[in-house]
Amino acid sequence: MLTQQEPTPTTPGMTFDQMLERVRYEGAYPTRDRAEDTVRAVLAALGRQITGDERVDLAACLPLEAARAFTSQIPATQPLTGWGFVKDLAARIGGTPATTRWDTGAVLNVVSRLAGPDLVDRILAQLPAGYGLLFGRAELTRAA
């Protein structure tokens, strides 16, 4: 018997609705609207941090609505550390750092699957310390 497989987060051409459902599941959000608000806020904040080819390449990996939220922001002149990113986003959305860290992880985990490991490596190389954990990766530090 043939069954239709549900698209995975790495499926090219993932729709925005599929992305929202994946984030809703990962973040355990009670409604689609809550997941959508979270996706838009996190992607807009991320859009203030990423520049250059990585910005263009990441936008190309995202569903159109997500790419619009991501590219709607002008990159900051001084990128924030990972913790600074979470604190800034918490202040903008009126959340706590703990819940904002959860929200960020739920969204960026899906984004990292859409982008693939090579692009995520390039993005993390561009950003200050602290973003690895937000993208669901171990944060390795170098010995002095």
Side-chain angles (χ1 to χ4, degrees):
M1 178 168 108
L2 294 174
T3 60
Q4 185 176 5
Q5 263 190 321
E6 180 182 330
T8 62
T10 56
T11 301
M14 176 186 271
T15 67
F16 188 58
D17 286 336
Q18 290 168 329
M19 181 183 188
L20 292 179
E21 283 307 311
R22 180 55 55 189
V23 169
R24 181 178 176 191
Y25 175 78
E26 300 249 345
Y29 299 115
T31 66
R32 181 185 181 282
D33 288 344
R34 174 72 170 95
E36 183 172 353
D37 291 345
T38 301
V39 165
R40 291 184 186 281
V42 171
L43 288 177
L46 189 62
R48 290 188 286 277
Q49 301 303 309
I50 299 176
T51 61
D53 290 342
E54 290 75 19
R55 180 181 177 90
V56 173
D57 293 346
L58 181 57
C61 294
L62 299 173
L64 181 60
E65 295 90 339
R68 284 183 182 147
F70 172 67
T71 59
S72 69
Q73 301 296 307
I74 297 170
T77 55
Q78 285 296 121
L80 299 169
T81 64
W83 179 237
F85 176 84
V86 170
K87 289 192 313 185
D88 180 66
L89 181 56
R92 289 174 187 268
I93 64 174
T96 67
T99 58
T100 303
R101 166 60 182 92
W102 177 268
D103 293 343
T104 302
V107 174
L108 295 185
N109 192 14
V110 173
V111 167
S112 71
R113 286 191 229 146
L114 286 167
D118 293 338
L119 179 54
V120 173
D121 287 345
R122 290 175 31 219
I123 289 168
L124 292 175
Q126 180 188 101
L127 294 169
Y131 283 87
L133 292 174
L134 298 176
F135 278 92
R137 298 237 181 128
E139 188 76 29
L140 303 176
T141 57
R142 294 185 182 164

